[in-house]
mmCIF file of all heavy atoms in Angstrom:
data_model
loop_
_atom_site.group_PDB
_atom_site.id
_atom_site.type_symbol
_atom_site.label_atom_id
_atom_site.label_comp_id
_atom_site.label_asym_id
_atom_site.label_seq_id
_atom_site.Cartn_x
_atom_site.Cartn_y
_atom_site.Cartn_z
ATOM 1 N N LYS A 1 3.978 -24.117 12.211
ATOM 2 C CA LYS A 1 5.189 -23.492 12.728
ATOM 3 C C LYS A 1 5.550 -24.149 14.038
ATOM 4 O O LYS A 1 4.854 -24.000 15.039
ATOM 5 C CB LYS A 1 4.992 -21.990 12.918
ATOM 6 C CG LYS A 1 6.250 -21.269 13.371
ATOM 7 C CD LYS A 1 6.041 -19.769 13.435
ATOM 8 C CE LYS A 1 7.331 -19.076 13.851
ATOM 9 N NZ LYS A 1 7.146 -17.602 13.937
ATOM 10 N N ASP A 2 6.656 -24.885 14.014
ATOM 11 C CA ASP A 2 7.070 -25.654 15.190
ATOM 12 C C ASP A 2 5.901 -26.528 15.637
ATOM 13 O O ASP A 2 5.385 -27.311 14.875
ATOM 14 C CB ASP A 2 7.553 -24.723 16.308
ATOM 15 C CG ASP A 2 8.740 -23.867 15.869
ATOM 16 O OD1 ASP A 2 9.556 -24.376 15.086
ATOM 17 O OD2 ASP A 2 8.827 -22.707 16.283
ATOM 18 N N SER A 3 5.440 -26.354 16.890
ATOM 19 C CA SER A 3 4.325 -27.161 17.374
ATOM 20 C C SER A 3 3.011 -26.389 17.348
ATOM 21 O O SER A 3 2.036 -26.813 17.959
ATOM 22 C CB SER A 3 4.608 -27.644 18.803
ATOM 23 O OG SER A 3 4.894 -26.553 19.651
ATOM 24 N N GLY A 4 2.988 -25.253 16.619
ATOM 25 C CA GLY A 4 1.774 -24.459 16.536
ATOM 26 C C GLY A 4 1.463 -24.060 15.106
ATOM 27 O O GLY A 4 1.863 -24.732 14.147
ATOM 28 N N THR A 5 0.744 -22.954 14.954
ATOM 29 C CA THR A 5 0.314 -22.478 13.640
ATOM 30 C C THR A 5 0.567 -20.980 13.549
ATOM 31 O O THR A 5 0.185 -20.218 14.438
ATOM 32 C CB THR A 5 -1.192 -22.744 13.440
ATOM 33 O OG1 THR A 5 -1.432 -24.152 13.522
ATOM 34 C CG2 THR A 5 -1.662 -22.239 12.091
ATOM 35 N N SER A 6 1.208 -20.551 12.465
ATOM 36 C CA SER A 6 1.401 -19.125 12.225
ATOM 37 C C SER A 6 0.186 -18.573 11.488
ATOM 38 O O SER A 6 -0.414 -19.240 10.652
ATOM 39 C CB SER A 6 2.672 -18.864 11.420
ATOM 40 O OG SER A 6 2.557 -19.391 10.114
ATOM 41 N N VAL A 7 -0.168 -17.333 11.806
ATOM 42 C CA VAL A 7 -1.346 -16.672 11.246
ATOM 43 C C VAL A 7 -0.917 -15.359 10.603
ATOM 44 O O VAL A 7 -0.177 -14.567 11.210
ATOM 45 C CB VAL A 7 -2.390 -16.388 12.339
ATOM 46 C CG1 VAL A 7 -3.600 -15.646 11.752
ATOM 47 C CG2 VAL A 7 -2.828 -17.678 13.024
ATOM 48 N N HIS A 8 -1.390 -15.124 9.389
ATOM 49 C CA HIS A 8 -1.181 -13.865 8.681
ATOM 50 C C HIS A 8 -2.546 -13.464 8.129
ATOM 51 O O HIS A 8 -3.053 -14.080 7.199
ATOM 52 C CB HIS A 8 -0.165 -14.058 7.554
ATOM 53 C CG HIS A 8 0.088 -12.826 6.745
ATOM 54 N ND1 HIS A 8 1.238 -12.073 6.880
ATOM 55 C CD2 HIS A 8 -0.636 -12.225 5.773
ATOM 56 C CE1 HIS A 8 1.183 -11.057 6.032
ATOM 57 N NE2 HIS A 8 0.060 -11.133 5.352
ATOM 58 N N LEU A 9 -3.148 -12.439 8.738
ATOM 59 C CA LEU A 9 -4.497 -12.011 8.360
ATOM 60 C C LEU A 9 -4.454 -10.532 7.986
ATOM 61 O O LEU A 9 -3.947 -9.708 8.748
ATOM 62 C CB LEU A 9 -5.465 -12.233 9.523
ATOM 63 C CG LEU A 9 -6.930 -11.826 9.305
ATOM 64 C CD1 LEU A 9 -7.582 -12.680 8.214
ATOM 65 C CD2 LEU A 9 -7.717 -11.951 10.621
ATOM 66 N N VAL A 10 -4.966 -10.183 6.809
ATOM 67 C CA VAL A 10 -4.932 -8.811 6.313
ATOM 68 C C VAL A 10 -6.323 -8.382 5.894
ATOM 69 O O VAL A 10 -7.056 -9.147 5.248
ATOM 70 C CB VAL A 10 -3.982 -8.675 5.100
ATOM 71 C CG1 VAL A 10 -4.071 -7.274 4.504
ATOM 72 C CG2 VAL A 10 -2.553 -8.980 5.506
ATOM 73 N N GLN A 11 -6.695 -7.165 6.265
ATOM 74 C CA GLN A 11 -7.949 -6.562 5.798
ATOM 75 C C GLN A 11 -7.643 -5.174 5.233
ATOM 76 O O GLN A 11 -6.942 -4.371 5.855
ATOM 77 C CB GLN A 11 -8.968 -6.444 6.918
ATOM 78 C CG GLN A 11 -10.327 -5.898 6.447
ATOM 79 C CD GLN A 11 -11.318 -5.731 7.586
ATOM 80 O OE1 GLN A 11 -10.935 -5.410 8.715
ATOM 81 N NE2 GLN A 11 -12.590 -5.953 7.308
ATOM 82 N N LYS A 12 -8.170 -4.887 4.020
ATOM 83 C CA LYS A 12 -7.986 -3.586 3.380
ATOM 84 C C LYS A 12 -9.280 -2.785 3.464
ATOM 85 O O LYS A 12 -10.375 -3.363 3.500
ATOM 86 C CB LYS A 12 -7.581 -3.759 1.915
ATOM 87 C CG LYS A 12 -6.263 -4.502 1.721
ATOM 88 C CD LYS A 12 -5.963 -4.673 0.239
ATOM 89 C CE LYS A 12 -4.644 -5.365 0.006
ATOM 90 N NZ LYS A 12 -4.339 -5.506 -1.445
ATOM 91 N N ASN A 13 -9.131 -1.468 3.458
ATOM 92 C CA ASN A 13 -10.288 -0.579 3.520
ATOM 93 C C ASN A 13 -10.390 0.185 2.202
ATOM 94 O O ASN A 13 -9.659 1.153 1.964
ATOM 95 C CB ASN A 13 -10.144 0.391 4.703
ATOM 96 C CG ASN A 13 -11.415 1.172 4.980
ATOM 97 O OD1 ASN A 13 -12.125 1.560 4.067
ATOM 98 N ND2 ASN A 13 -11.688 1.412 6.257
ATOM 99 N N ALA A 14 -11.289 -0.254 1.335
ATOM 100 C CA ALA A 14 -11.387 0.315 -0.013
ATOM 101 C C ALA A 14 -11.834 1.778 0.028
ATOM 102 O O ALA A 14 -11.351 2.600 -0.767
ATOM 103 C CB ALA A 14 -12.357 -0.508 -0.850
ATOM 104 N N ASP A 15 -12.733 2.149 0.932
ATOM 105 C CA ASP A 15 -13.193 3.534 1.009
ATOM 106 C C ASP A 15 -12.057 4.468 1.389
ATOM 107 O O ASP A 15 -11.920 5.569 0.834
ATOM 108 C CB ASP A 15 -14.336 3.668 2.021
ATOM 109 C CG ASP A 15 -15.644 3.095 1.506
ATOM 110 O OD1 ASP A 15 -15.740 2.859 0.284
ATOM 111 O OD2 ASP A 15 -16.556 2.895 2.323
ATOM 112 N N MET A 16 -11.210 4.057 2.332
ATOM 113 C CA MET A 16 -10.092 4.897 2.757
ATOM 114 C C MET A 16 -9.046 5.007 1.644
ATOM 115 O O MET A 16 -8.439 6.071 1.458
ATOM 116 C CB MET A 16 -9.456 4.346 4.031
ATOM 117 C CG MET A 16 -10.351 4.410 5.259
ATOM 118 S SD MET A 16 -10.899 6.095 5.684
ATOM 119 C CE MET A 16 -12.592 6.074 5.060
ATOM 120 N N ALA A 17 -8.824 3.920 0.911
ATOM 121 C CA ALA A 17 -7.878 3.977 -0.205
ATOM 122 C C ALA A 17 -8.378 4.904 -1.298
ATOM 123 O O ALA A 17 -7.599 5.638 -1.920
ATOM 124 C CB ALA A 17 -7.641 2.576 -0.760
ATOM 125 N N THR A 18 -9.684 4.908 -1.526
ATOM 126 C CA THR A 18 -10.265 5.834 -2.505
ATOM 127 C C THR A 18 -10.109 7.275 -2.038
ATOM 128 O O THR A 18 -9.731 8.161 -2.820
ATOM 129 C CB THR A 18 -11.757 5.507 -2.714
ATOM 130 O OG1 THR A 18 -11.889 4.179 -3.213
ATOM 131 C CG2 THR A 18 -12.385 6.468 -3.704
ATOM 132 N N LYS A 19 -10.365 7.510 -0.773
ATOM 133 C CA LYS A 19 -10.229 8.857 -0.215
ATOM 134 C C LYS A 19 -8.794 9.353 -0.304
ATOM 135 O O LYS A 19 -8.550 10.541 -0.560
ATOM 136 C CB LYS A 19 -10.704 8.853 1.240
ATOM 137 C CG LYS A 19 -10.720 10.221 1.897
ATOM 138 C CD LYS A 19 -11.291 10.135 3.295
ATOM 139 C CE LYS A 19 -11.312 11.508 3.968
ATOM 140 N NZ LYS A 19 -11.877 11.439 5.346
ATOM 141 N N ALA A 20 -7.835 8.453 -0.115
ATOM 142 C CA ALA A 20 -6.414 8.819 -0.178
ATOM 143 C C ALA A 20 -5.876 8.832 -1.603
ATOM 144 O O ALA A 20 -4.707 9.153 -1.809
ATOM 145 C CB ALA A 20 -5.595 7.844 0.670
ATOM 146 N N ASN A 21 -6.706 8.460 -2.574
ATOM 147 C CA ASN A 21 -6.320 8.439 -3.987
ATOM 148 C C ASN A 21 -5.225 7.410 -4.268
ATOM 149 O O ASN A 21 -4.337 7.640 -5.084
ATOM 150 C CB ASN A 21 -5.863 9.825 -4.460
ATOM 151 C CG ASN A 21 -5.893 9.958 -5.972
ATOM 152 O OD1 ASN A 21 -6.609 9.235 -6.662
ATOM 153 N ND2 ASN A 21 -5.112 10.878 -6.495
ATOM 154 N N VAL A 22 -5.278 6.275 -3.582
ATOM 155 C CA VAL A 22 -4.290 5.223 -3.811
ATOM 156 C C VAL A 22 -4.954 3.881 -4.148
ATOM 157 O O VAL A 22 -4.291 2.837 -4.117
ATOM 158 C CB VAL A 22 -3.347 5.046 -2.593
ATOM 159 C CG1 VAL A 22 -2.544 6.308 -2.353
ATOM 160 C CG2 VAL A 22 -4.118 4.637 -1.342
ATOM 161 N N LEU A 23 -6.235 3.892 -4.486
ATOM 162 C CA LEU A 23 -6.904 2.641 -4.839
ATOM 163 C C LEU A 23 -6.491 2.236 -6.254
ATOM 164 O O LEU A 23 -6.634 3.023 -7.195
ATOM 165 C CB LEU A 23 -8.421 2.814 -4.773
ATOM 166 C CG LEU A 23 -9.244 1.547 -5.018
ATOM 167 C CD1 LEU A 23 -9.107 0.585 -3.841
ATOM 168 C CD2 LEU A 23 -10.716 1.899 -5.237
ATOM 169 N N PRO A 24 -5.985 1.012 -6.462
ATOM 170 C CA PRO A 24 -5.590 0.589 -7.804
ATOM 171 C C PRO A 24 -6.802 0.413 -8.725
ATOM 172 O O PRO A 24 -7.910 0.161 -8.266
ATOM 173 C CB PRO A 24 -4.902 -0.767 -7.563
ATOM 174 C CG PRO A 24 -4.656 -0.839 -6.097
ATOM 175 C CD PRO A 24 -5.693 -0.009 -5.448
ATOM 176 N N GLU A 25 -6.559 0.549 -10.010
ATOM 177 C CA GLU A 25 -7.586 0.218 -10.993
ATOM 178 C C GLU A 25 -7.837 -1.287 -10.952
ATOM 179 O O GLU A 25 -6.959 -2.068 -10.565
ATOM 180 C CB GLU A 25 -7.123 0.625 -12.394
ATOM 181 C CG GLU A 25 -6.945 2.125 -12.588
ATOM 182 C CD GLU A 25 -8.254 2.876 -12.533
ATOM 183 O OE1 GLU A 25 -9.294 2.267 -12.860
ATOM 184 O OE2 GLU A 25 -8.242 4.064 -12.153
ATOM 185 N N PRO A 26 -9.029 -1.754 -11.323
ATOM 186 C CA PRO A 26 -9.318 -3.196 -11.302
ATOM 187 C C PRO A 26 -8.286 -3.981 -12.107
ATOM 188 O O PRO A 26 -7.956 -3.630 -13.248
ATOM 189 C CB PRO A 26 -10.707 -3.280 -11.954
ATOM 190 C CG PRO A 26 -11.338 -1.950 -11.664
ATOM 191 C CD PRO A 26 -10.213 -0.952 -11.733
ATOM 192 N N GLY A 27 -7.753 -5.018 -11.485
ATOM 193 C CA GLY A 27 -6.771 -5.870 -12.140
ATOM 194 C C GLY A 27 -5.378 -5.295 -12.206
ATOM 195 O O GLY A 27 -4.467 -5.924 -12.766
ATOM 196 N N GLN A 28 -5.162 -4.105 -11.643
ATOM 197 C CA GLN A 28 -3.870 -3.439 -11.697
ATOM 198 C C GLN A 28 -3.278 -3.296 -10.297
ATOM 199 O O GLN A 28 -3.950 -3.509 -9.283
ATOM 200 C CB GLN A 28 -4.021 -2.052 -12.321
ATOM 201 C CG GLN A 28 -4.494 -2.060 -13.760
ATOM 202 C CD GLN A 28 -3.401 -2.502 -14.711
ATOM 203 O OE1 GLN A 28 -2.382 -1.838 -14.863
ATOM 204 N NE2 GLN A 28 -3.608 -3.634 -15.357
ATOM 205 N N ALA A 29 -2.000 -2.922 -10.262
ATOM 206 C CA ALA A 29 -1.346 -2.510 -9.023
ATOM 207 C C ALA A 29 -1.012 -1.029 -9.145
ATOM 208 O O ALA A 29 -1.040 -0.459 -10.237
ATOM 209 C CB ALA A 29 -0.083 -3.327 -8.788
ATOM 210 N N LYS A 30 -0.706 -0.394 -8.019
ATOM 211 C CA LYS A 30 -0.351 1.018 -8.024
ATOM 212 C C LYS A 30 0.928 1.222 -7.229
ATOM 213 O O LYS A 30 1.152 0.564 -6.204
ATOM 214 C CB LYS A 30 -1.476 1.866 -7.440
ATOM 215 C CG LYS A 30 -1.262 3.376 -7.585
ATOM 216 C CD LYS A 30 -2.419 4.165 -6.981
ATOM 217 C CE LYS A 30 -3.676 4.098 -7.821
ATOM 218 N NZ LYS A 30 -3.542 4.823 -9.104
ATOM 219 N N LEU A 31 1.774 2.134 -7.723
ATOM 220 C CA LEU A 31 3.009 2.497 -7.032
ATOM 221 C C LEU A 31 3.011 3.994 -6.789
ATOM 222 O O LEU A 31 2.788 4.786 -7.704
ATOM 223 C CB LEU A 31 4.227 2.111 -7.881
ATOM 224 C CG LEU A 31 5.598 2.546 -7.336
ATOM 225 C CD1 LEU A 31 5.888 1.854 -6.003
ATOM 226 C CD2 LEU A 31 6.694 2.253 -8.350
ATOM 227 N N VAL A 32 3.260 4.404 -5.537
ATOM 228 C CA VAL A 32 3.336 5.805 -5.155
ATOM 229 C C VAL A 32 4.800 6.147 -4.891
ATOM 230 O O VAL A 32 5.496 5.423 -4.180
ATOM 231 C CB VAL A 32 2.489 6.081 -3.899
ATOM 232 C CG1 VAL A 32 2.676 7.516 -3.413
ATOM 233 C CG2 VAL A 32 1.016 5.798 -4.182
ATOM 234 N N PHE A 33 5.279 7.247 -5.489
ATOM 235 C CA PHE A 33 6.665 7.695 -5.335
ATOM 236 C C PHE A 33 6.665 9.046 -4.643
ATOM 237 O O PHE A 33 6.052 10.001 -5.114
ATOM 238 C CB PHE A 33 7.333 7.782 -6.706
ATOM 239 C CG PHE A 33 8.733 8.345 -6.694
ATOM 240 C CD1 PHE A 33 9.613 8.089 -5.648
ATOM 241 C CD2 PHE A 33 9.177 9.135 -7.736
ATOM 242 C CE1 PHE A 33 10.886 8.602 -5.630
ATOM 243 C CE2 PHE A 33 10.461 9.659 -7.746
ATOM 244 C CZ PHE A 33 11.317 9.393 -6.687
ATOM 245 N N SER A 34 7.382 9.126 -3.502
ATOM 246 C CA SER A 34 7.404 10.335 -2.696
ATOM 247 C C SER A 34 8.840 10.702 -2.346
ATOM 248 O O SER A 34 9.643 9.828 -1.993
ATOM 249 C CB SER A 34 6.595 10.120 -1.413
ATOM 250 O OG SER A 34 6.626 11.254 -0.590
ATOM 251 N N ASN A 35 9.149 11.974 -2.425
ATOM 252 C CA ASN A 35 10.479 12.482 -2.065
ATOM 253 C C ASN A 35 10.306 13.551 -0.995
ATOM 254 O O ASN A 35 9.820 14.647 -1.273
ATOM 255 C CB ASN A 35 11.182 13.069 -3.296
ATOM 256 C CG ASN A 35 12.533 13.685 -2.949
ATOM 257 O OD1 ASN A 35 13.127 13.390 -1.907
ATOM 258 N ND2 ASN A 35 13.024 14.550 -3.816
ATOM 259 N N ILE A 36 10.716 13.244 0.234
ATOM 260 C CA ILE A 36 10.614 14.224 1.318
ATOM 261 C C ILE A 36 11.988 14.750 1.704
ATOM 262 O O ILE A 36 12.140 15.416 2.733
ATOM 263 C CB ILE A 36 9.899 13.627 2.547
ATOM 264 C CG1 ILE A 36 10.667 12.436 3.115
ATOM 265 C CG2 ILE A 36 8.462 13.236 2.199
ATOM 266 C CD1 ILE A 36 10.069 11.908 4.422
ATOM 267 N N GLY A 37 13.005 14.439 0.890
ATOM 268 C CA GLY A 37 14.342 14.951 1.142
ATOM 269 C C GLY A 37 14.517 16.369 0.615
ATOM 270 O O GLY A 37 13.587 16.983 0.093
ATOM 271 N N ASP A 38 15.759 16.894 0.737
ATOM 272 C CA ASP A 38 16.032 18.265 0.313
ATOM 273 C C ASP A 38 16.788 18.319 -1.015
ATOM 274 O O ASP A 38 17.288 19.369 -1.403
ATOM 275 C CB ASP A 38 16.810 19.021 1.394
ATOM 276 C CG ASP A 38 18.120 18.335 1.774
ATOM 277 O OD1 ASP A 38 18.474 17.319 1.131
ATOM 278 O OD2 ASP A 38 18.783 18.808 2.708
ATOM 279 N N LYS A 39 16.858 17.178 -1.725
ATOM 280 C CA LYS A 39 17.482 17.128 -3.038
ATOM 281 C C LYS A 39 16.571 16.378 -4.000
ATOM 282 O O LYS A 39 15.722 15.587 -3.577
ATOM 283 C CB LYS A 39 18.847 16.434 -2.973
ATOM 284 C CG LYS A 39 19.881 17.148 -2.120
ATOM 285 C CD LYS A 39 21.193 16.374 -2.106
ATOM 286 C CE LYS A 39 22.233 17.069 -1.227
ATOM 287 N NZ LYS A 39 23.506 16.314 -1.189
ATOM 288 N N GLU A 40 16.770 16.613 -5.281
ATOM 289 C CA GLU A 40 15.973 15.900 -6.274
ATOM 290 C C GLU A 40 16.243 14.396 -6.195
ATOM 291 O O GLU A 40 17.388 13.971 -6.005
ATOM 292 C CB GLU A 40 16.306 16.398 -7.679
ATOM 293 C CG GLU A 40 15.504 15.696 -8.770
ATOM 294 C CD GLU A 40 15.872 16.187 -10.165
ATOM 295 O OE1 GLU A 40 16.956 15.818 -10.649
ATOM 296 O OE2 GLU A 40 15.065 16.921 -10.757
ATOM 297 N N ALA A 41 15.203 13.596 -6.327
ATOM 298 C CA ALA A 41 15.331 12.136 -6.366
ATOM 299 C C ALA A 41 14.812 11.646 -7.704
ATOM 300 O O ALA A 41 13.863 12.209 -8.257
ATOM 301 C CB ALA A 41 14.550 11.497 -5.226
ATOM 302 N N VAL A 42 15.433 10.601 -8.226
ATOM 303 C CA VAL A 42 15.061 10.065 -9.531
ATOM 304 C C VAL A 42 14.735 8.583 -9.393
ATOM 305 O O VAL A 42 15.563 7.805 -8.904
ATOM 306 C CB VAL A 42 16.185 10.271 -10.567
ATOM 307 C CG1 VAL A 42 15.765 9.677 -11.912
ATOM 308 C CG2 VAL A 42 16.507 11.750 -10.715
#
């Protein structure tokens, strides 16, 4: 990046994802849908 280097470093916490019930199944992805409004969302 220009005269330097850009860094993108990510670490996930599998235990916390399990506790929150959002850990994907092996080889899969997961999508969570939440509606905090005052009308039905589809």
Side-chain angles (χ1 to χ4, degrees):
K1 184 175 182 181
D2 300 325
S3 55
T5 299
S6 66
V7 178
H8 178 105
L9 180 65
V10 174
Q11 184 182 34
K12 299 178 178 181
N13 190 323
D15 286 345
M16 293 301 103
T18 299
K19 185 176 180 180
N21 199 23
V22 297
L23 184 71
E25 295 293 333
Q28 297 286 295
K30 188 180 287 291
L31 175 64
V32 174
F33 175 36
S34 178
N35 176 20
I36 61 174
D38 57 5
K39 297 179 181 179
E40 180 181 74
V42 179

